């Protein structure tokens, strides 16, 4: 589906905000600083590639089970299928009102690698599957480039119902839905997680930094090594970021190889 000019502007601004952080959008933003960071983005991203992988240990607590989370039998699920059957008719946030299909996620229930996006788009909402639109095709290609097939990983999202007009999910929608993702992670027990874009990073790692500062680092979510790279939809809009994504995913693959060796 084609974006309207207004949507395109919103998406371009979202991309810039993800890359450079909120400073760019704050009233008192220091112009000099934001100019520098635009320049720095180019140089640091190259430096990142040679930087040794440093693991940032974060005490990511059970805070994901936030105040908005609705308790229920789903918490006791012993399998993904059971979990899906218990949450697929969720009405805990407003996003269910526009839902065509609940997008639980798909892939290997015993995956070593989980890939986490933001939330379903139009095509995903239609099919009930994650990353099946244009961004999904690019994700498949990115995975293939680092020798993973879609079938061997598990692909999920921060929110499981499509936000209207593909807007970014609101904090309360994320807080409400993330416990489902936390439960998926608990059941799958991946060795590694890859967050696609700032919303996924913010949601899972509770990070407020820009994408530029999160890329290239290895965080821990509940003891699981987690990295952050660009969202494929942002890469479709800004193909010049693909080379930096390539650097990130190669690092991700290297980390995986070291872990399974
Ligand atoms: N974008 C996402 O973040 N998730 C999807 O499932 C599809 C597009």
């Amino acid at each position: 589906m084609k974006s309207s000019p207004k949507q395109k502007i919103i998406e371009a601004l979202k991309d810039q905000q993800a890359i450079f952080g909120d400073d760019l959008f704050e009233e008192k933003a220091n112009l000099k600083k934001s100019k520098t960071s635009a320049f720095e983005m180019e140089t640091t991203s190259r430096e990142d590639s040679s930087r040794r992988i440093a693991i940032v240990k974060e005490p990511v607590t059970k805070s994901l089970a936030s105040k908005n989370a609705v308790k229920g039998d789903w918490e006791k699920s012993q399998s993904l299928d059971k979990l899906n059957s218990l949450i697929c008719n969720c009405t805990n946030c407003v996003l269910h009102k526009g839902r065509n299909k609940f997008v639980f996620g798909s892939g290997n229930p015993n995956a070593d690698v989980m890939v986490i996006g933001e939330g379903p788009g139009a095509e995903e909402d239609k099919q009930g599957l994650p990353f099946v639109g244009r961004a999904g095709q690019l994700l498949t290609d990115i995975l293939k480039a680092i020798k993973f097939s879609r079938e061997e990983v598990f692909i999920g999202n921060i929110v499981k119902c499509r936000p209207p007009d593909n807007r970014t999910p609101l904090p309360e929608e994320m807080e409400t839905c993330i416990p489902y993702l936390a439960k998926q992670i608990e059941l799958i027990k991946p060795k590694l997680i890859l967050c696609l874009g700032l919303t996924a990073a913010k949601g899972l790692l509770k990070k407020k930094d820009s994408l530029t500062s999160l890329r290239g680092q290895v965080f821990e979510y509940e003891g699981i090594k987690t990295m952050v790279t660009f969202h494929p939809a942002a890469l479709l809009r800004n193909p010049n970021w693909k080379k930096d994504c390539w650097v990130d995913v190669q690092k991700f693959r290297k980390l995986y190889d070291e872990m399974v060796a």
Side-chain angles (χ1 to χ4, degrees):
M1 201 176 54
K2 276 205 161 216
S3 309
S4 67
K6 185 178 153 200
Q7 267 175 325
K8 278 190 182 154
I9 292 170
I10 292 171
E11 277 157 8
L13 287 170
K14 269 166 57 178
D15 289 343
Q16 295 304 309
Q17 189 176 23
I19 295 296
F20 299 114
D22 289 335
D23 278 2
L24 198 64
F25 291 78
E26 278 171 10
E27 237 175 280
K28 289 183 197 151
N30 171 343
L31 198 59
K32 186 165 168 274
K33 185 177 164 213
S34 52
K35 271 188 185 156
T36 319
S37 34
F39 170 73
E40 277 172 358
M41 191 195 89
E42 272 293 298
T43 47
T44 49
S45 58
R46 276 190 218 116
E47 282 163 15
D48 272 356
S49 64
S50 57
R51 209 164 63 193
R52 281 203 52 214
I53 296 176
I55 297 179
V56 181
K57 287 208 179 197
E58 297 284 331
V60 182
T61 59
K62 294 281 180 197
S63 63
L64 291 185
S66 69
K67 58 180 173 9
N68 285 22
V70 177
K71 294 202 170 294
D73 286 348
W74 62 267
E75 288 175 297
K76 300 188 198 99
S77 305
Q78 297 291 323
S79 71
L80 289 180
D81 284 346
K82 182 72 185 166
L83 178 64
N84 191 11
S85 71
L86 291 174
I87 65 176
C88 65
N89 295 313
C90 178
T91 56
N92 294 343
C93 84
V94 293
L95 294 183
H96 81 276
K97 293 187 180 163
R99 172 174 76 211
N100 182 40
K101 289 211 171 128
F102 182 87
V103 181
F104 179 76
S106 72
N108 180 358
N110 302 308
D112 280 346
V113 170
M114 269 186 87
V115 179
I116 298 171
E118 178 174 313
E123 200 50 42
E124 290 77 20
D125 176 62
K126 209 189 283 177
Q127 297 189 35
L129 292 167
F131 283 98
V132 285
R134 271 182 69 214
Q137 182 54 55
L138 180 55
L139 175 60
T140 307
D141 293 343
I142 292 170
L143 289 172
K144 213 184 280 172
I146 50 166
K147 301 187 178 63
F148 288 119
S149 67
R150 276 182 76 110
E151 294 71 33
E152 71 182 302
V153 305
F154 190 93
I155 303 174
N157 278 309
I158 292 289
V159 295
K160 300 192 174 358
C161 299
R162 184 191 180 201
D165 297 325
N166 295 343
R167 66 156 168 74
T168 306
L170 301 174
E172 58 267 31
E173 294 157 357
M174 290 168 59
E175 272 187 53
T176 305
C177 209
I178 285 175
Y180 296 154
L181 176 63
K183 182 71 193 177
Q184 289 176 303
I185 297 171
E186 184 192 312
L187 289 168
I188 295 168
K189 299 184 184 61
K191 291 190 168 73
L192 274 178
I193 297 176
L194 182 62
C195 290
L196 304 174
L198 200 57
T199 302
K202 273 185 182 169
L204 197 70
L205 300 170
K206 303 291 173 221
K207 290 283 177 194
K208 291 202 168 73
D209 316 64
S210 68
L211 194 67
T212 309
S213 57
L214 297 177
R215 290 183 43 238
Q217 300 195 61
V218 181
F219 300 96
E220 284 200 2
Y221 164 76
E222 296 284 326
I224 303 163
K225 292 188 171 50
T226 302
M227 291 187 72
V228 180
T229 190
F230 298 87
H231 192 289
L235 297 176
L236 289 173
R237 294 188 289 265
N238 305 279
N240 53 324
W241 292 344
K242 282 186 184 172
K243 61 180 189 320
D244 286 340
C245 179
W246 176 235
V247 171
D248 297 344
V249 295
Q250 276 181 301
K251 207 174 252 187
F252 183 80
R253 177 73 214 200
K254 186 165 175 271
L255 188 60
Y256 175 82
D257 289 340
E258 283 166 5
M259 288 181 74
V260 296

PDB file of all heavy atoms in Angstrom, residues 172-202:
ATOM      1  N   GLU A 172       1.721   3.173  26.277  1.00  0.00           N
ATOM      2  CA  GLU A 172       0.789   2.309  27.037  1.00  0.00           C
ATOM      3  C   GLU A 172       0.429   1.053  26.245  1.00  0.00           C
ATOM      4  O   GLU A 172       0.194  -0.012  26.824  1.00  0.00           O
ATOM      5  CB  GLU A 172      -0.465   3.061  27.487  1.00  0.00           C
ATOM      6  CG  GLU A 172      -1.292   3.684  26.394  1.00  0.00           C
ATOM      7  CD  GLU A 172      -0.922   5.147  26.122  1.00  0.00           C
ATOM      8  OE1 GLU A 172       0.271   5.510  26.309  1.00  0.00           O
ATOM      9  OE2 GLU A 172      -1.804   5.910  25.701  1.00  0.00           O
ATOM     10  N   GLU A 173       0.419   1.162  24.909  1.00  0.00           N
ATOM     11  CA  GLU A 173       0.155  -0.029  24.084  1.00  0.00           C
ATOM     12  C   GLU A 173       1.342  -0.997  24.182  1.00  0.00           C
ATOM     13  O   GLU A 173       1.157  -2.219  24.275  1.00  0.00           O
ATOM     14  CB  GLU A 173      -0.088   0.385  22.630  1.00  0.00           C
ATOM     15  CG  GLU A 173      -1.361   1.209  22.440  1.00  0.00           C
ATOM     16  CD  GLU A 173      -1.357   2.075  21.178  1.00  0.00           C
ATOM     17  OE1 GLU A 173      -0.347   2.107  20.451  1.00  0.00           O
ATOM     18  OE2 GLU A 173      -2.374   2.747  20.945  1.00  0.00           O
ATOM     19  N   MET A 174       2.541  -0.411  24.174  1.00  0.00           N
ATOM     20  CA  MET A 174       3.736  -1.257  24.291  1.00  0.00           C
ATOM     21  C   MET A 174       3.775  -1.950  25.648  1.00  0.00           C
ATOM     22  O   MET A 174       3.989  -3.150  25.742  1.00  0.00           O
ATOM     23  CB  MET A 174       5.002  -0.408  24.076  1.00  0.00           C
ATOM     24  CG  MET A 174       5.127   0.050  22.629  1.00  0.00           C
ATOM     25  SD  MET A 174       6.383   1.305  22.346  1.00  0.00           S
ATOM     26  CE  MET A 174       7.870   0.532  22.878  1.00  0.00           C
ATOM     27  N   GLU A 175       3.520  -1.175  26.687  1.00  0.00           N
ATOM     28  CA  GLU A 175       3.550  -1.753  28.045  1.00  0.00           C
ATOM     29  C   GLU A 175       2.535  -2.872  28.210  1.00  0.00           C
ATOM     30  O   GLU A 175       2.777  -3.847  28.909  1.00  0.00           O
ATOM     31  CB  GLU A 175       3.224  -0.666  29.073  1.00  0.00           C
ATOM     32  CG  GLU A 175       4.400   0.116  29.547  1.00  0.00           C
ATOM     33  CD  GLU A 175       4.008   1.044  30.685  1.00  0.00           C
ATOM     34  OE1 GLU A 175       3.426   0.581  31.672  1.00  0.00           O
ATOM     35  OE2 GLU A 175       4.270   2.254  30.555  1.00  0.00           O
ATOM     36  N   THR A 176       1.407  -2.702  27.561  1.00  0.00           N
ATOM     37  CA  THR A 176       0.353  -3.713  27.684  1.00  0.00           C
ATOM     38  C   THR A 176       0.729  -4.995  26.946  1.00  0.00           C
ATOM     39  O   THR A 176       0.434  -6.096  27.405  1.00  0.00           O
ATOM     40  CB  THR A 176      -0.978  -3.160  27.112  1.00  0.00           C
ATOM     41  OG1 THR A 176      -1.263  -1.931  27.769  1.00  0.00           O
ATOM     42  CG2 THR A 176      -2.136  -4.120  27.326  1.00  0.00           C
ATOM     43  N   CYS A 177       1.373  -4.845  25.815  1.00  0.00           N
ATOM     44  CA  CYS A 177       1.648  -6.000  24.952  1.00  0.00           C
ATOM     45  C   CYS A 177       2.977  -6.692  25.259  1.00  0.00           C
ATOM     46  O   CYS A 177       3.108  -7.896  25.022  1.00  0.00           O
ATOM     47  CB  CYS A 177       1.621  -5.541  23.492  1.00  0.00           C
ATOM     48  SG  CYS A 177       1.131  -6.831  22.345  1.00  0.00           S
ATOM     49  N   ILE A 178       3.951  -5.954  25.752  1.00  0.00           N
ATOM     50  CA  ILE A 178       5.293  -6.522  25.928  1.00  0.00           C
ATOM     51  C   ILE A 178       5.324  -7.764  26.835  1.00  0.00           C
ATOM     52  O   ILE A 178       6.101  -8.691  26.565  1.00  0.00           O
ATOM     53  CB  ILE A 178       6.308  -5.431  26.354  1.00  0.00           C
ATOM     54  CG1 ILE A 178       6.643  -4.578  25.136  1.00  0.00           C
ATOM     55  CG2 ILE A 178       7.578  -6.037  26.925  1.00  0.00           C
ATOM     56  CD1 ILE A 178       7.528  -3.392  25.423  1.00  0.00           C
ATOM     57  N   PRO A 179       4.484  -7.861  27.855  1.00  0.00           N
ATOM     58  CA  PRO A 179       4.509  -9.104  28.645  1.00  0.00           C
ATOM     59  C   PRO A 179       4.262 -10.349  27.793  1.00  0.00           C
ATOM     60  O   PRO A 179       4.797 -11.424  28.103  1.00  0.00           O
ATOM     61  CB  PRO A 179       3.386  -8.893  29.660  1.00  0.00           C
ATOM     62  CG  PRO A 179       3.337  -7.415  29.839  1.00  0.00           C
ATOM     63  CD  PRO A 179       3.604  -6.834  28.470  1.00  0.00           C
ATOM     64  N   TYR A 180       3.497 -10.234  26.728  1.00  0.00           N
ATOM     65  CA  TYR A 180       3.302 -11.387  25.830  1.00  0.00           C
ATOM     66  C   TYR A 180       4.616 -11.751  25.151  1.00  0.00           C
ATOM     67  O   TYR A 180       4.963 -12.923  25.015  1.00  0.00           O
ATOM     68  CB  TYR A 180       2.254 -11.077  24.746  1.00  0.00           C
ATOM     69  CG  TYR A 180       0.842 -10.823  25.241  1.00  0.00           C
ATOM     70  CD1 TYR A 180      -0.028 -10.036  24.509  1.00  0.00           C
ATOM     71  CD2 TYR A 180       0.377 -11.405  26.417  1.00  0.00           C
ATOM     72  CE1 TYR A 180      -1.338  -9.810  24.932  1.00  0.00           C
ATOM     73  CE2 TYR A 180      -0.928 -11.184  26.853  1.00  0.00           C
ATOM     74  CZ  TYR A 180      -1.782 -10.389  26.108  1.00  0.00           C
ATOM     75  OH  TYR A 180      -3.056 -10.175  26.530  1.00  0.00           O
ATOM     76  N   LEU A 181       5.339 -10.726  24.735  1.00  0.00           N
ATOM     77  CA  LEU A 181       6.645 -10.969  24.113  1.00  0.00           C
ATOM     78  C   LEU A 181       7.607 -11.579  25.136  1.00  0.00           C
ATOM     79  O   LEU A 181       8.355 -12.516  24.818  1.00  0.00           O
ATOM     80  CB  LEU A 181       7.204  -9.647  23.562  1.00  0.00           C
ATOM     81  CG  LEU A 181       8.599  -9.696  22.954  1.00  0.00           C
ATOM     82  CD1 LEU A 181       8.623 -10.599  21.725  1.00  0.00           C
ATOM     83  CD2 LEU A 181       9.080  -8.296  22.582  1.00  0.00           C
ATOM     84  N   ALA A 182       7.565 -11.048  26.340  1.00  0.00           N
ATOM     85  CA  ALA A 182       8.432 -11.585  27.407  1.00  0.00           C
ATOM     86  C   ALA A 182       8.141 -13.072  27.613  1.00  0.00           C
ATOM     87  O   ALA A 182       9.062 -13.876  27.800  1.00  0.00           O
ATOM     88  CB  ALA A 182       8.217 -10.803  28.696  1.00  0.00           C
ATOM     89  N   LYS A 183       6.857 -13.427  27.569  1.00  0.00           N
ATOM     90  CA  LYS A 183       6.486 -14.843  27.742  1.00  0.00           C
ATOM     91  C   LYS A 183       6.985 -15.670  26.550  1.00  0.00           C
ATOM     92  O   LYS A 183       7.467 -16.795  26.721  1.00  0.00           O
ATOM     93  CB  LYS A 183       4.961 -14.951  27.890  1.00  0.00           C
ATOM     94  CG  LYS A 183       4.459 -16.354  28.131  1.00  0.00           C
ATOM     95  CD  LYS A 183       4.805 -16.870  29.528  1.00  0.00           C
ATOM     96  CE  LYS A 183       4.572 -18.363  29.635  1.00  0.00           C
ATOM     97  NZ  LYS A 183       4.955 -18.918  30.926  1.00  0.00           N
ATOM     98  N   GLN A 184       6.879 -15.110  25.351  1.00  0.00           N
ATOM     99  CA  GLN A 184       7.398 -15.822  24.169  1.00  0.00           C
ATOM    100  C   GLN A 184       8.899 -16.087  24.334  1.00  0.00           C
ATOM    101  O   GLN A 184       9.381 -17.186  24.052  1.00  0.00           O
ATOM    102  CB  GLN A 184       7.159 -14.998  22.895  1.00  0.00           C
ATOM    103  CG  GLN A 184       5.695 -14.938  22.475  1.00  0.00           C
ATOM    104  CD  GLN A 184       5.494 -14.037  21.266  1.00  0.00           C
ATOM    105  OE1 GLN A 184       5.846 -12.853  21.293  1.00  0.00           O
ATOM    106  NE2 GLN A 184       4.929 -14.576  20.196  1.00  0.00           N
ATOM    107  N   ILE A 185       9.606 -15.065  24.782  1.00  0.00           N
ATOM    108  CA  ILE A 185      11.058 -15.213  24.956  1.00  0.00           C
ATOM    109  C   ILE A 185      11.354 -16.273  26.015  1.00  0.00           C
ATOM    110  O   ILE A 185      12.244 -17.112  25.841  1.00  0.00           O
ATOM    111  CB  ILE A 185      11.718 -13.849  25.313  1.00  0.00           C
ATOM    112  CG1 ILE A 185      11.519 -12.850  24.165  1.00  0.00           C
ATOM    113  CG2 ILE A 185      13.202 -14.018  25.643  1.00  0.00           C
ATOM    114  CD1 ILE A 185      11.939 -11.416  24.479  1.00  0.00           C
ATOM    115  N   GLU A 186      10.567 -16.253  27.082  1.00  0.00           N
ATOM    116  CA  GLU A 186      10.746 -17.244  28.166  1.00  0.00           C
ATOM    117  C   GLU A 186      10.550 -18.669  27.634  1.00  0.00           C
ATOM    118  O   GLU A 186      11.278 -19.581  27.989  1.00  0.00           O
ATOM    119  CB  GLU A 186       9.720 -16.922  29.255  1.00  0.00           C
ATOM    120  CG  GLU A 186       9.817 -17.764  30.495  1.00  0.00           C
ATOM    121  CD  GLU A 186       8.585 -17.575  31.394  1.00  0.00           C
ATOM    122  OE1 GLU A 186       8.198 -16.410  31.660  1.00  0.00           O
ATOM    123  OE2 GLU A 186       7.997 -18.599  31.792  1.00  0.00           O
ATOM    124  N   LEU A 187       9.574 -18.848  26.740  1.00  0.00           N
ATOM    125  CA  LEU A 187       9.300 -20.189  26.207  1.00  0.00           C
ATOM    126  C   LEU A 187      10.336 -20.611  25.164  1.00  0.00           C
ATOM    127  O   LEU A 187      10.762 -21.761  25.123  1.00  0.00           O
ATOM    128  CB  LEU A 187       7.898 -20.230  25.582  1.00  0.00           C
ATOM    129  CG  LEU A 187       6.717 -20.181  26.570  1.00  0.00           C
ATOM    130  CD1 LEU A 187       5.410 -19.931  25.832  1.00  0.00           C
ATOM    131  CD2 LEU A 187       6.637 -21.478  27.371  1.00  0.00           C
ATOM    132  N   ILE A 188      10.726 -19.684  24.320  1.00  0.00           N
ATOM    133  CA  ILE A 188      11.647 -20.020  23.219  1.00  0.00           C
ATOM    134  C   ILE A 188      13.089 -20.169  23.734  1.00  0.00           C
ATOM    135  O   ILE A 188      13.841 -20.996  23.235  1.00  0.00           O
ATOM    136  CB  ILE A 188      11.570 -18.937  22.103  1.00  0.00           C
ATOM    137  CG1 ILE A 188      10.163 -18.956  21.482  1.00  0.00           C
ATOM    138  CG2 ILE A 188      12.622 -19.148  21.023  1.00  0.00           C
ATOM    139  CD1 ILE A 188       9.839 -17.770  20.588  1.00  0.00           C
ATOM    140  N   LYS A 189      13.432 -19.360  24.712  1.00  0.00           N
ATOM    141  CA  LYS A 189      14.795 -19.358  25.265  1.00  0.00           C
ATOM    142  C   LYS A 189      15.866 -19.196  24.176  1.00  0.00           C
ATOM    143  O   LYS A 189      16.757 -20.058  24.013  1.00  0.00           O
ATOM    144  CB  LYS A 189      15.098 -20.649  26.050  1.00  0.00           C
ATOM    145  CG  LYS A 189      14.199 -20.872  27.242  1.00  0.00           C
ATOM    146  CD  LYS A 189      14.637 -22.120  28.006  1.00  0.00           C
ATOM    147  CE  LYS A 189      13.714 -22.442  29.140  1.00  0.00           C
ATOM    148  NZ  LYS A 189      12.303 -22.731  28.736  1.00  0.00           N
ATOM    149  N   PRO A 190      15.797 -18.111  23.421  1.00  0.00           N
ATOM    150  CA  PRO A 190      16.817 -17.928  22.370  1.00  0.00           C
ATOM    151  C   PRO A 190      18.186 -17.636  22.989  1.00  0.00           C
ATOM    152  O   PRO A 190      18.276 -17.210  24.142  1.00  0.00           O
ATOM    153  CB  PRO A 190      16.306 -16.695  21.616  1.00  0.00           C
ATOM    154  CG  PRO A 190      15.553 -15.922  22.654  1.00  0.00           C
ATOM    155  CD  PRO A 190      14.911 -16.959  23.545  1.00  0.00           C
ATOM    156  N   LYS A 191      19.223 -17.853  22.187  1.00  0.00           N
ATOM    157  CA  LYS A 191      20.576 -17.509  22.645  1.00  0.00           C
ATOM    158  C   LYS A 191      20.863 -16.037  22.365  1.00  0.00           C
ATOM    159  O   LYS A 191      21.678 -15.414  23.022  1.00  0.00           O
ATOM    160  CB  LYS A 191      21.606 -18.356  21.891  1.00  0.00           C
ATOM    161  CG  LYS A 191      21.579 -19.839  22.254  1.00  0.00           C
ATOM    162  CD  LYS A 191      22.802 -20.526  21.643  1.00  0.00           C
ATOM    163  CE  LYS A 191      23.019 -21.918  22.174  1.00  0.00           C
ATOM    164  NZ  LYS A 191      22.027 -22.879  21.653  1.00  0.00           N
ATOM    165  N   LEU A 192      20.216 -15.548  21.312  1.00  0.00           N
ATOM    166  CA  LEU A 192      20.480 -14.176  20.869  1.00  0.00           C
ATOM    167  C   LEU A 192      19.193 -13.505  20.399  1.00  0.00           C
ATOM    168  O   LEU A 192      18.318 -14.168  19.822  1.00  0.00           O
ATOM    169  CB  LEU A 192      21.421 -14.200  19.659  1.00  0.00           C
ATOM    170  CG  LEU A 192      22.920 -14.234  19.865  1.00  0.00           C
ATOM    171  CD1 LEU A 192      23.609 -14.301  18.509  1.00  0.00           C
ATOM    172  CD2 LEU A 192      23.380 -12.998  20.611  1.00  0.00           C
ATOM    173  N   ILE A 193      19.129 -12.202  20.608  1.00  0.00           N
ATOM    174  CA  ILE A 193      17.967 -11.427  20.140  1.00  0.00           C
ATOM    175  C   ILE A 193      18.474 -10.270  19.286  1.00  0.00           C
ATOM    176  O   ILE A 193      19.454  -9.607  19.643  1.00  0.00           O
ATOM    177  CB  ILE A 193      17.153 -10.878  21.333  1.00  0.00           C
ATOM    178  CG1 ILE A 193      16.575 -12.025  22.182  1.00  0.00           C
ATOM    179  CG2 ILE A 193      16.027  -9.951  20.853  1.00  0.00           C
ATOM    180  CD1 ILE A 193      15.836 -11.578  23.443  1.00  0.00           C
ATOM    181  N   LEU A 194      17.794 -10.032  18.183  1.00  0.00           N
ATOM    182  CA  LEU A 194      18.107  -8.871  17.350  1.00  0.00           C
ATOM    183  C   LEU A 194      16.890  -7.951  17.325  1.00  0.00           C
ATOM    184  O   LEU A 194      15.803  -8.358  16.883  1.00  0.00           O
ATOM    185  CB  LEU A 194      18.450  -9.313  15.918  1.00  0.00           C
ATOM    186  CG  LEU A 194      18.852  -8.202  14.941  1.00  0.00           C
ATOM    187  CD1 LEU A 194      20.123  -7.479  15.406  1.00  0.00           C
ATOM    188  CD2 LEU A 194      19.058  -8.754  13.526  1.00  0.00           C
ATOM    189  N   CYS A 195      17.055  -6.740  17.827  1.00  0.00           N
ATOM    190  CA  CYS A 195      15.967  -5.748  17.806  1.00  0.00           C
ATOM    191  C   CYS A 195      16.072  -4.925  16.535  1.00  0.00           C
ATOM    192  O   CYS A 195      17.136  -4.368  16.233  1.00  0.00           O
ATOM    193  CB  CYS A 195      16.083  -4.789  18.997  1.00  0.00           C
ATOM    194  SG  CYS A 195      15.717  -5.544  20.579  1.00  0.00           S
ATOM    195  N   LEU A 196      14.960  -4.822  15.817  1.00  0.00           N
ATOM    196  CA  LEU A 196      14.934  -4.040  14.582  1.00  0.00           C
ATOM    197  C   LEU A 196      14.316  -2.672  14.857  1.00  0.00           C
ATOM    198  O   LEU A 196      13.112  -2.553  15.048  1.00  0.00           O
ATOM    199  CB  LEU A 196      14.116  -4.775  13.519  1.00  0.00           C
ATOM    200  CG  LEU A 196      14.576  -6.201  13.190  1.00  0.00           C
ATOM    201  CD1 LEU A 196      13.604  -6.861  12.232  1.00  0.00           C
ATOM    202  CD2 LEU A 196      15.986  -6.191  12.601  1.00  0.00           C
ATOM    203  N   GLY A 197      15.180  -1.668  14.904  1.00  0.00           N
ATOM    204  CA  GLY A 197      14.694  -0.302  15.097  1.00  0.00           C
ATOM    205  C   GLY A 197      14.568   0.093  16.554  1.00  0.00           C
ATOM    206  O   GLY A 197      14.673  -0.724  17.469  1.00  0.00           O
ATOM    207  N   LEU A 198      14.359   1.401  16.719  1.00  0.00           N
ATOM    208  CA  LEU A 198      14.387   1.976  18.060  1.00  0.00           C
ATOM    209  C   LEU A 198      13.196   1.560  18.916  1.00  0.00           C
ATOM    210  O   LEU A 198      13.337   1.395  20.128  1.00  0.00           O
ATOM    211  CB  LEU A 198      14.441   3.509  17.936  1.00  0.00           C
ATOM    212  CG  LEU A 198      14.931   4.252  19.152  1.00  0.00           C
ATOM    213  CD1 LEU A 198      16.307   3.806  19.594  1.00  0.00           C
ATOM    214  CD2 LEU A 198      14.923   5.761  18.903  1.00  0.00           C
ATOM    215  N   THR A 199      12.038   1.365  18.306  1.00  0.00           N
ATOM    216  CA  THR A 199      10.871   0.986  19.113  1.00  0.00           C
ATOM    217  C   THR A 199      11.104  -0.370  19.764  1.00  0.00           C
ATOM    218  O   THR A 199      10.798  -0.562  20.944  1.00  0.00           O
ATOM    219  CB  THR A 199       9.600   0.950  18.233  1.00  0.00           C
ATOM    220  OG1 THR A 199       9.438   2.234  17.646  1.00  0.00           O
ATOM    221  CG2 THR A 199       8.369   0.593  19.038  1.00  0.00           C
ATOM    222  N   ALA A 200      11.653  -1.304  19.000  1.00  0.00           N
ATOM    223  CA  ALA A 200      11.940  -2.627  19.558  1.00  0.00           C
ATOM    224  C   ALA A 200      12.984  -2.519  20.669  1.00  0.00           C
ATOM    225  O   ALA A 200      12.850  -3.136  21.734  1.00  0.00           O
ATOM    226  CB  ALA A 200      12.425  -3.567  18.453  1.00  0.00           C
ATOM    227  N   ALA A 201      14.020  -1.691  20.431  1.00  0.00           N
ATOM    228  CA  ALA A 201      15.076  -1.530  21.440  1.00  0.00           C
ATOM    229  C   ALA A 201      14.536  -0.867  22.699  1.00  0.00           C
ATOM    230  O   ALA A 201      14.822  -1.289  23.816  1.00  0.00           O
ATOM    231  CB  ALA A 201      16.222  -0.712  20.854  1.00  0.00           C
ATOM    232  N   LYS A 202      13.732   0.172  22.478  1.00  0.00           N
ATOM    233  CA  LYS A 202      13.157   0.877  23.632  1.00  0.00           C
ATOM    234  C   LYS A 202      12.253  -0.042  24.422  1.00  0.00           C
ATOM    235  O   LYS A 202      12.268  -0.075  25.647  1.00  0.00           O
ATOM    236  CB  LYS A 202      12.306   2.060  23.151  1.00  0.00           C
ATOM    237  CG  LYS A 202      13.045   3.332  22.941  1.00  0.00           C
ATOM    238  CD  LYS A 202      12.026   4.414  22.576  1.00  0.00           C
ATOM    239  CE  LYS A 202      12.700   5.726  22.300  1.00  0.00           C
ATOM    240  NZ  LYS A 202      11.783   6.697  21.695  1.00  0.00           N
TER     241      LYS A 202
END
